[in-house]
Amino acid sequence: MKKIIKKLTNLLPTSMKYSLYRSLVRVPDVDMNQVVFKLAETREELEGAFAILHDSYVGVGLMKQVPSGLRVTPYHALNSSVTLIGKVDSEIVATLTIIMDSKLGLPSDNFIDLSKLRQGGNRLAEISALAIKKEYRGRMLFHLLKYMYEWCTNYLSINHLIATLTTDTKAFELYESILFFKKIENKIEANYAFSNFRPVIAEHLNLDEARGLFENHYSHKKGAKNLYSFFVEQKSPNFQFPDRSYFTINYPVMNSENFSYFFTEKTTALSDMSEKELLALSSIFSGLDHAGLIDEVLQQRNIFEINRFPQKERFEVSIFTTAIVNQQLIKLRVLDISDNGIKIASKYIVNDRVDISIPAANGGTYRITARKVWEDEYGVAGLKIISADERWYTMIQHFNKKQQGQKLQASS
């Protein structure tokens, strides 16, 4: 009977079928209080996440079994990637990784054009590496997705969330009908090594619009069918989050010791990387011990980087604020900061001199004056700081100390 109903459902027009799915969906009525959701911060937590990811992916044919029993990808190396876990006591039973956009790009960049989504300085991230132990799958998925949503909106300031979904399992129907993801291009990719050559399609959710969509479709529903209340209004005591200071969006855990352990000792992930991936990671980790391990692999392949100079430390943030340009007040978003510059995105033209006021977390404002020195094809501009108040340099000093602490930890 279930097979017959499924076949009949598939005959419906897509809009009717998705409306039917939304009318039936409900948050599982189970007690999740024994589960703690948190950032994977220790080597043991990362290894547990990579282990259940390996077993899950092998089980559904998304990868072949490997001797290490771990699935570790180049994107897990990034300090900007966030690996989330669900734990019952000391056992890791669920995981999901949020891959932030970087010089390495996103996995879906390998077969889809994301340039339109990046316009205007929009921040992109791709959800990947989702795995839940079999006995928890039916009751934990929505809670894991809710935890991910809160990370993306409150801690990472993501505008567009990307998902690469297998088409042979019709996983995309869940994301489209229940979560309102949309196809980026109506293109099925069959030659995608990241999924073990299972056919996939890339979709995205505009997180700036998601809250309104959930409110329109779910807020009138009762109880467990009200996904708007579940995702947006309800607070979960078993969700753990790190302290967020000075608008940061980075929560690094992959120090040089963990990098060496997972990418050279436990697996061959580093030596398996492409030249493009190695060069991108070498640039990202310039000045850290990670770069030495990467350079060894490059040299073994007779690849030598030319004119790689130490780069000025830049710290990613997300600050929505205002500025005065030509005696007009405009809105802008600060994307990263450094000792002598900032990167911004704005819908308004920034010509030369800019006076910016940035709200401080503990009250008051930071005030800086800067001038534009470059602008890219995405509408993002780089400004050089002409002058700034003392509070601004206190914030910069905080980031420099944090970065220096990471370097000292890596070398100790």
Side-chain angles (χ1 to χ4, degrees), residues 32-41 44-50 52-53 82-97 129-133 135-137 139-141 143-145 147-148 151 236 238-240:
M32 295 296 292
N33 289 328
Q34 79 277 22
V35 184
V36 172
F37 293 89
K38 67 184 298 291
L39 172 69
E41 299 172 278
E44 292 72 24
E45 288 176 338
L46 288 168
E47 190 159 8
F50 299 155
I52 67 167
L53 181 60
V82 175
T83 296
L84 309 179
I85 55 173
K87 296 179 74 172
V88 177
D89 296 324
S90 60
E91 181 187 13
I92 296 174
V93 298
T95 185
L96 180 154
T97 297
L130 191 159
I132 302 173
K133 284 198 170 183
E135 60 268 33
Y136 291 92
R137 284 175 192 165
R139 51 183 169 148
M140 191 174 287
L141 176 62
H143 296 270
L144 182 60
L145 292 177
Y147 186 51
M148 176 270 297
W151 261 95
S236 178
N238 50 346
F239 284 2
Q240 295 182 4

Side-chain angles (χ1 to χ4, degrees), residues 78-114:
L78 300 172
N79 279 329
S80 56
S81 289
V82 175
T83 296
L84 309 179
I85 55 173
K87 296 179 74 172
V88 177
D89 296 324
S90 60
E91 181 187 13
I92 296 174
V93 298
T95 185
L96 180 154
T97 297
I98 305 170
I99 302 170
M100 298 278 285
D101 207 0
S102 69
K103 292 179 182 178
L104 186 58
L106 298 173
S108 52
D109 274 310
N110 289 297
F111 71 94
I112 206 80
D113 182 8
L114 300 176

Side-chain angles (χ1 to χ4, degrees), residues 191-204:
N191 190 33
Y192 188 50
F194 208 63
S195 67
N196 198 25
F197 303 101
R198 294 269 294 279
V200 296
I201 193 164
E203 309 218 348
H204 80 104

Side-chain angles (χ1 to χ4, degrees), residues 307-336:
N307 296 330
R308 190 182 80 183
F309 299 104
Q311 298 183 6
K312 191 72 176 175
E313 298 287 5
R314 305 196 68 86
F315 309 106
E316 287 192 299
V317 295
S318 182
I319 308 171
F320 292 91
T321 188
T322 58
I324 297 176
V325 179
N326 298 329
Q327 297 183 335
Q328 289 188 329
L329 192 66
I330 68 168
K331 294 180 179 180
L332 58 81
R333 182 184 190 183
V334 181
L335 301 173
D336 73 29

